[in-house]
Amino acid sequence: MSAVDDLILISVDDHLIEPPDLFAGHLPAKYLDQAPQLTRREDGSDVWRFQGVDIENAALNAVAGRPKEEYGLEPQSLEEVRPGCYDVHERVKDMDAGGMLASMNFPSFPTFSGRLFATDDVDLSLALVQAYNDWHIDEWCGAYPGRFIPMAIPAIWDAELTAAEVRRVAAKGCHSLSFTENPAALGYPSFHSDYWDPLWRAVSDTGTVVSIHLGSSGRLSIPAVDSPPDVMITLQPMNICQAAADLLWSRVLKQFPDIRIALSEGGTGWIPYFLDRLDRTYDMHHAWTQQDFGGRLPSEVFREHFLTCFISDDVGVELREKIGIDNICWEADYPHSDSMWPSAPEELGEVFARHDVPGDHVAKITHENAMRWYDFDPFSHIARQDATVGALRQRSAGHDITIMSRSRRVLTPDEKLAQFRGRAERAVAAAGR
Amino acid sequence: MSAVDDLILISVDDHLIEPPDLFAGHLPAKYLDQAPQLTRREDGSDVWRFQGVDIENAALNAVAGRPKEEYGLEPQSLEEVRPGCYDVHERVKDMDAGGMLASMNFPSFPTFSGRLFATDDVDLSLALVQAYNDWHIDEWCGAYPGRFIPMAIPAIWDAELTAAEVRRVAAKGCHSLSFTENPAALGYPSFHSDYWDPLWRAVSDTGTVVSIHLGSSGRLSIPAVDSPPDVMITLQPMNICQAAADLLWSRVLKQFPDIRIALSEGGTGWIPYFLDRLDRTYDMHHAWTQQDFGGRLPSEVFREHFLTCFISDDVGVELREKIGIDNICWEADYPHSDSMWPSAPEELGEVFARHDVPGDHVAKITHENAMRWYDFDPFSHIARQDATVGALRQRSAGHDITIMSRSRRVLTPDEKLAQFRGRAERAVAAAGR
């Protein structure tokens, strides 16, 4: 058995595509006809239709097992994506084939912060948030105990309601909240307002990690509307440094010392530089900016509060002790375009081998840190010897992992680029730039 | 003699505060009364007044030799800053005391891209740009041959005029152009427009480095108006990754293979991660984004075109070979608040010692790369044995480097923070967010 077969992999950042029957059984009956509906458009794609808006399922969000030539932003139908995107039974088979013991799944169509559900009708909005969370925790994660780290979405428009929701779902064992990189960018009070104090109190009381995913500010990293798509793809992970700095220097961490934040899909290789920069900023400027961490350096404060996550990050693994070996988790990003599914374990194994990472560090990065940060114990459901990459893959023998082509016509590269440009223009216009 | 004494230091990023007599002798007489005027305000600070706007000299821009408690954004008078900020003779004495052989000086009040001079009167605008460049190259740099790398500012509103100016100053030996991180953010065509092609042709023909300083997009790295100042100070250097990605993936480098770009004050520690991210983006996405570098990886293309710069960057020095040992220059940032003047050589020496950096690497980082990139040869004016930290400091014995306090009342910390908040609000409003 190779070292890769022996790995136990928990991914702290994957994604699900919501299935059409999501709200049935969870949303009060009186709201069912107002709920978002998965709708087939004339072009053959499925969109979530809600209050006059169509939310497309961009192809880059569900390209696992797809030829790279077919990547792009084309809206897709459910039939065109791997069933593992939206069907939990198929998802677990894909996880087995990818050697992944457990996974935390971020939402898709409601956005990372659930802001789609922020409507003028507060009762409807809260009902949607709660139904989503109940579906996700009880139905999706509940179907396979030990295979999913449950995660809730906030009632982003209201700190008190979000706090109450955090407490409600924590009682069911959910210790992760998907939140935004920057509430101010969404039109809500910033991290520096005391508006969010009820939320900080709730996550502190319940041991809930605030999981902040790249892109959750709603602002894209696009220097200009005509920047090529590669620019945005390159920049998005590191852009989460803005949220990290904004929270690190805020009053919040000083006042709520138990808060923990995950920088989901943010990568790790830039963190050692970032920590040096934090400490230098403190050294040069705290005398006038009045920053006071009780004698600690900001880099130490960072390690008390922040979890970093990587998919395949050579520099981050090499410099893991400068980041903090207890502050790094692996992630798979299935089924997004950064995912290496189903061969992520081999890629990870190569990085570990290249840097002679000792076994205790491998264990922390691959699963122990995830278990501790998210208060998650898969081994109460699954025996250790059944949890390894090798064991999971053995069990999944026969599951089809063939690369599948799209059934409809694939756009030409020029059509794809034009589509990206349209997105960029709408995003820049929406940001008021 | 210690290793520090033996260093030969050329800094590729320092700043000057313009002296009041800047335009005299360089601007045609008919424009002199329309030129910006250094004006003493009632509060005792000096501002450059131009077309109804006052440009303050924020204290953080000239804090060399000032107690850290006095850092902040207070506008200052010339008497309150070190004469080395605005008087070239005093500057050279400060350079000697700081062990610095040579220095490239970015502009202050016209902004890094000279956009203050973009007025409705094109003739006046061009006259101001040319007068500024003539003063800087002939008078400031010309006073001490071998001590300054000359740098020009663009006629930012016009690519053809900028191209002509690049050719004009290149004929006088100037091979550096201060430009913007993002022309689109200033309201001009983006890097992706062919509008700038005359400029790219001119810098290619003349071997001119496009020196892009952090902050030159005019957009501050402020997540929210109430973010503490430490957030912006932490984020600004790494934020230059946006310009790096925008240019790297652009058509420009493919079409103009001789273009070279410096990421001034951008730091180096995040670059290895960034290069990995570029290559991964290429690997996963080029099939649909149509990126084609003729078989090379984007990280290779980066090393052909980009110079990176650091003040004191432990991670960058450790990972120097992942960045490219020919792509790293040291910088001092005198007299800004990141500068360690006059003890920068000792700090740099410690970083080199900590990572056992061999002599040939030290030579490249401290001066050889700067000489090659900027086509600058100090040794045709100054003998090598007179150019070392030790020799320069010996010559400067007696020059006063005492830390000086401000003569006027220093603002209280709360007043300083309120002042920063005002700046942030104006910046965010100006950016239309």
Side-chain angles (χ1 to χ4, degrees), chain B residues 23-299:
Chain B
F23 293 105
H26 300 287
L27 192 68
K30 64 174 175 172
Y31 290 127
L32 274 176
D33 62 344
Q34 294 181 63
Q37 304 285 346
L38 193 68
T39 308
R40 176 71 44 99
R41 287 200 304 203
E42 277 190 16
D43 67 1
S45 66
D46 291 329
V47 295
W48 281 94
R49 189 161 286 170
F50 183 54
Q51 301 203 334
V53 179
D54 280 2
I55 294 98
E56 296 174 349
N57 176 23
L60 283 180
N61 287 339
V63 290
R66 184 59 71 77
K68 286 178 185 166
E69 291 71 20
E70 297 186 10
Y71 284 22
L73 296 181
E74 291 99 315
Q76 302 184 103
S77 69
L78 281 193
E79 286 88 347
E80 290 172 311
V81 304
R82 283 194 71 79
C85 296
Y86 56 84
D87 177 323
V88 71
H89 310 294
E90 291 297 315
R91 167 63 70 105
V92 168
K93 289 181 198 164
D94 279 358
M95 287 164 63
D96 289 346
M100 193 199 303
L101 169 62
S103 162
M104 189 169 79
N105 295 166
F106 281 85
S108 291
F109 85 83
T111 80
F112 294 128
S113 56
R115 73 180 193 279
L116 181 72
F117 297 153
T119 73
D120 294 338
D121 179 346
V122 174
D123 293 334
L124 168 65
S125 292
L126 184 61
L128 289 169
V129 167
Q130 294 190 329
Y132 189 98
N133 288 338
D134 287 341
W135 167 78
H136 177 74
I137 298 165
D138 301 336
E139 197 167 327
W140 180 272
C141 301
Y144 290 89
R147 301 303 298 269
F148 294 100
I149 300 173
M151 177 164 61
I153 58 173
I156 187 70
W157 67 94
D158 189 309
E160 293 280 5
L161 288 178
T162 300
E165 184 66 2
V166 163
R167 294 178 196 276
R168 187 182 77 87
V169 299
K172 318 205 247 186
C174 176
H175 299 287
S176 175
L177 178 74
S178 180
F179 204 62
T180 173
E181 290 171 290
N182 188 353
L186 301 180
Y188 301 113
S190 82
F191 285 136
H192 310 286
S193 158
D194 59 9
Y195 176 78
W196 297 105
D197 283 2
L199 170 59
W200 307 137
R201 215 167 286 127
V203 297
S204 299
D205 290 348
T206 58
T208 297
V209 177
V210 180
S211 300
I212 294 182
H213 197 282
L214 73 77
S216 55
S217 72
R219 287 190 187 143
L220 300 180
S221 298
I222 301 179
V225 288
D226 48 356
S227 297
D230 320 81
V231 177
M232 185 193 81
I233 297 167
T234 300
L235 294 173
Q236 290 280 51
M238 203 164 55
N239 186 52
I240 211 167
C241 67
Q242 299 206 26
D246 210 24
L247 280 163
L248 189 287
W249 294 113
S250 74
R251 163 199 63 88
V252 177
L253 302 192
K254 301 175 182 99
Q255 195 162 337
F256 299 93
D258 294 327
I259 284 185
R260 291 169 307 142
I261 299 143
L263 304 175
S264 305
E265 208 176 333
T268 51
W270 54 273
I271 300 280
Y273 163 85
F274 182 74
L275 298 181
D276 278 0
R277 180 74 192 158
L278 288 174
D279 287 349
R280 185 163 181 103
T281 299
Y282 177 81
D283 177 38
M284 300 298 278
H285 295 282
H286 78 275
W288 76 272
T289 63
Q290 305 184 73
Q291 288 288 347
D292 180 359
F293 297 103
R296 291 165 307 163
L297 288 172
S299 59

Side-chain angles (χ1 to χ4, degrees), chain A residues 13 214 236-241 263-272 302 307-313 315-317 323 327-329 331 338, chain B residues 273 277:
Chain A
D13 171 32
L214 72 77
Q236 289 281 48
M238 201 164 57
N239 187 51
I240 213 167
C241 67
L263 304 175
S264 306
E265 209 177 331
T268 48
W270 54 274
I271 301 280
F302 181 91
L307 179 66
T308 67
C309 314
F310 76 93
I311 297 169
S312 166
D313 195 334
V315 180
V317 171
I323 297 167
N327 297 76
I328 306 174
C329 279
E331 57 171 87
D338 267 333
Chain B
Y273 163 85
R277 180 74 192 158

Side-chain angles (χ1 to χ4, degrees), chain A residues 270-320:
Chain A
W270 54 274
I271 301 280
Y273 164 84
F274 182 75
L275 297 181
D276 277 0
R277 180 74 193 160
L278 288 174
D279 287 350
R280 184 163 182 104
T281 299
Y282 177 80
D283 177 37
M284 300 299 277
H285 294 281
H286 78 275
W288 76 273
T289 64
Q290 304 185 74
Q291 288 288 347
D292 180 0
F293 297 103
R296 290 166 307 163
L297 288 171
S299 59
E300 297 173 90
V301 175
F302 181 91
R303 291 189 191 96
E304 290 166 10
H305 293 281
F306 287 90
L307 179 66
T308 67
C309 314
F310 76 93
I311 297 169
S312 166
D313 195 334
D314 202 71
V315 180
V317 171
E318 179 176 355
L319 301 185
R320 63 195 177 278

Side-chain angles (χ1 to χ4, degrees), chain B residues 335-401:
Chain B
H336 281 194
S337 62
D338 267 333
S339 168
M340 297 301 287
W341 182 89
S343 53
E346 281 67 27
E347 189 185 44
L348 183 64
E350 275 172 34
V351 177
F352 285 151
R354 197 177 309 137
H355 298 292
D356 291 326
V357 183
D360 58 330
H361 286 194
V362 168
K364 284 179 182 227
I365 293 173
T366 53
H367 61 284
E368 286 178 4
N369 288 342
M371 290 170 60
R372 195 181 65 258
W373 278 74
Y374 285 105
D375 190 13
F376 173 71
D377 179 16
F379 301 125
S380 59
H381 301 281
I382 298 157
R384 237 167 216 285
Q385 70 268 23
D386 298 332
T388 63
V389 169
L392 293 167
R393 281 181 168 168
Q394 202 160 27
R395 195 166 78 180
S396 83
H399 179 56
D400 184 8
I401 54 169

Side-chain angles (χ1 to χ4, degrees), chain A residues 15-17 57-78 80-86 91 94 108 233 265 311 332-343 401-406 410 416 419, chain B residues 280 283-285 287-288:
Chain A
H15 302 266
L16 61 82
I17 304 293
N57 176 25
L60 284 179
N61 289 338
V63 289
R66 185 60 72 77
K68 286 177 185 167
E69 292 71 22
E70 297 187 12
Y71 285 22
L73 297 181
E74 290 98 316
Q76 302 185 103
S77 70
L78 281 192
E80 291 172 308
V81 305
R82 283 193 71 78
C85 297
Y86 56 86
R91 167 64 70 106
D94 279 357
S108 291
I233 296 167
E265 209 177 331
I311 297 169
D333 201 29
Y334 175 102
H336 281 193
S337 62
D338 267 333
S339 169
M340 297 300 289
W341 182 89
S343 53
I401 55 170
T402 319
I403 299 295
M404 304 186 316
S405 255
R406 182 180 164 96
V410 177
K416 286 173 191 277
Q419 196 169 47
Chain B
R280 185 163 181 103
D283 177 38
M284 300 298 278
H285 295 282
W288 76 272

